[in-house]
Amino acid sequence: MVEDTDDVDWDTLTAAATAAMGRAYVPYSRYPVGAAALTEDGRTVTGMNIENASYGVTLCAECSLISALFASGGGRLRAFVCVDGAGAVLMPCGRCRQLLYEHRAPGMTLMTVRGLRTMDQVLPDAFGPENLA
């Protein structure tokens, strides 16, 4: 079940992801990706993919979003969207789902290619910090 997201302006959040996508550094793949999330305290954080000639150190949009989260004071994410160069919604890959899971607020909601989904629906039975306690 998706948490109540009536107070999330998904159009504004998607526009923030699209704006971030416009700042992506993608000279190799030419596949820009932007991400935006709303924190529990109402801040919007964004990220974009940043490629590197050594492909293994490329940062995905979700990675730079999590960096921006901590650079702006930390907190937990409650709503998330990711878009491609055309502004179409993308589904985070498995690695990025793990990043989002770690920094989610309870009931975090994602805009996905199939509509709104909770983090638990996107990554069921996830391994997280609670497993290391």
Side-chain angles (χ1 to χ4, degrees):
M1 180 173 173
V2 175
E3 294 288 315
D4 180 17
T5 58
D6 290 343
D7 64 334
V8 175
D9 184 341
W10 289 101
D11 290 335
T12 298
L13 200 59
T14 301
T18 302
M21 177 270 304
R23 296 186 300 276
Y25 175 72
V26 291
Y28 311 108
S29 73
R30 306 220 187 290
Y31 191 79
V33 176
L38 184 64
T39 65
E40 285 183 303
D41 65 5
R43 287 175 293 126
T44 298
V45 291
T46 61
M48 71 293 300
N49 53 332
I50 303 165
E51 295 180 344
N52 188 281
S54 175
Y55 295 130
V57 296
T58 291
L59 295 177
C60 58
E62 294 86 345
C63 287
S64 65
L65 182 142
I66 296 300
S67 293
L69 172 68
F70 281 89
S72 66
R76 296 284 173 192
L77 306 175
R78 61 183 291 262
F80 173 86
V81 64
C82 189
V83 299
D84 67 13
V89 172
L90 289 175
M91 192 65 169
C93 72
R95 176 180 182 263
C96 293
R97 292 178 198 193
Q98 186 66 40
L99 280 170
L100 295 170
Y101 181 85
E102 177 109 1
H103 302 288
R104 80 201 182 290
M108 177 184 165
T109 304
L110 294 80
M111 175 62 70
T112 74
V113 296
R114 294 182 149 191
L116 296 177
R117 300 277 191 263
T118 66
M119 191 72 243
D120 291 334
Q121 291 171 317
V122 171
L123 192 62
D125 303 320
F127 179 86
E130 62 277 5
N131 299 106
L132 299 174

